[in-house]
Amino acid sequence: MKALLPIITASLVCSGSALAQDYDDYDDPIDEESAEARAAKKKKKSEVVREVVKGFYAKANVGTAIYLGNFSGASKAGTSTTIGVGGDFVDQERFSMAWEFSFTQGVHNGMSYEQQADLGCGIGAPCHQGDMRTYSITGSVEASTYPSRRIGLGARLGAGILTSPLLIEQTAYDTEVIPEFGGDPGYHSGVKPLVFVGPTFEYYSKLSHFSVGIDADVFYGVGWDLGINATGYFKYTF
């Protein structure tokens, strides 16, 4: 009996230790936190990450402008630059809409007014001053869809005003150019209503807030001409 006593005592001690250890493990807060952390990581992995930033933005475009109507024979393809601001007012995973206000400058080299006059105003040439600049202020609305997280495809519709100031002295235009034309065609006086529509493409870079894209707009200026602006842009969303 005395020989069995140490064995029985050791068995009881071991059993008590095992029960205590099992009980502590069951209620251990460290294990509970680990389980919560694992659940949070699993949930995070299952969520769709859009990886794009939407909101108020600033935008700069540069590209080319081409006239398709009466100006096409007398004006070469020129440079178009735009600065603008806008904001997204619809922001969904696969669809967005934005407003934008822009200021655009166009620079074109053209046929001299003497050559245009020789061709005949309104027949062979539009009879504008030749080399010219245009300035326009526009507002637009854009709607885009997202086939992937970083690529947006959409369309723009806008309107505004356009003006093309004289690049020569008003007196010289009145006394030398208008007599050659047989009258003032009115291209360089006042402002012209302007409308445009076209597709847009946007790529959201891995640099937060930065994106690049392409705008291609068909525009028409009332009392001006029909043309296309094709520009690439850089955008920063705040």
Side-chain angles (χ1 to χ4, degrees):
M1 187 66 179
K2 290 182 179 180
L4 294 173
L5 184 59
I7 296 174
I8 295 170
T9 303
S11 299
L12 292 172
V13 171
C14 291
S15 299
S17 298
L19 290 171
Q21 184 64 42
D22 290 343
Y23 180 79
D24 290 339
D25 286 345
Y26 184 77
D27 288 332
D28 190 349
I30 296 177
D31 288 344
E32 286 186 356
E33 291 176 2
S34 299
E36 291 175 0
R38 288 194 296 271
K41 289 180 180 178
K42 186 177 180 180
K43 182 179 179 182
K44 184 175 181 180
K45 287 181 180 179
S46 65
E47 291 176 350
V48 176
V49 180
R50 291 185 59 197
E51 299 178 342
V52 300
V53 177
K54 289 290 187 177
F56 181 76
Y57 62 81
K59 182 178 174 185
N61 297 53
V62 62
T64 187
I66 303 171
Y67 287 115
L68 304 175
N70 294 334
F71 287 12
S72 59
S75 301
K76 297 180 180 178
T79 301
S80 176
T81 56
T82 301
I83 55 173
V85 294
D88 298 284
F89 60 89
V90 174
D91 181 13
Q92 300 174 0
E93 183 181 338
R94 293 291 182 179
F95 180 76
S96 71
M97 294 185 71
W99 58 268
E100 184 177 315
F101 289 104
S102 303
F103 173 78
T104 301
Q105 176 184 245
V107 179
H108 295 264
N109 291 327
M111 188 184 297
S112 69
Y113 72 87
E114 293 97 340
Q115 290 175 303
Q116 293 184 64
D118 290 341
L119 291 173
C121 292
I123 302 173
C127 286
H128 56 58
Q129 65 182 327
D131 295 345
M132 61 182 179
R133 293 190 179 188
T134 60
Y135 302 95
S136 59
I137 298 173
T138 59
S140 63
V141 176
E142 173 191 320
S144 294
T145 186
Y146 299 87
S148 70
R149 293 179 182 177
R150 297 187 181 277
I151 294 178
L153 300 174
R156 308 192 323 144
L157 175 65
I161 56 173
L162 175 146
T163 185
S164 179
L166 284 172
L167 301 182
I168 60 177
E169 292 290 336
Q170 182 69 51
T171 302
Y173 183 76
D174 292 338
T175 59
E176 299 177 21
V177 179
I178 289 180
E180 287 279 346
F181 290 165
D184 185 2
Y187 293 127
H188 307 291
S189 59
V191 296
K192 321 295 182 189
L194 177 72
V195 294
F196 63 91
V197 64
T200 182
F201 166 83
E202 186 166 11
Y203 173 76
Y204 294 87
S205 73
K206 292 185 178 181
L207 296 175
S208 181
H209 303 277
F210 291 93
S211 61
V212 295
I214 298 172
D215 290 332
D217 300 319
V218 177
F219 66 87
Y220 177 71
V222 180
W224 188 249
D225 200 21
L226 177 70
I228 295 177
N229 272 338
T231 59
Y233 68 78
F234 175 86
K235 187 169 85 174
Y236 179 82
T237 304
F238 295 91

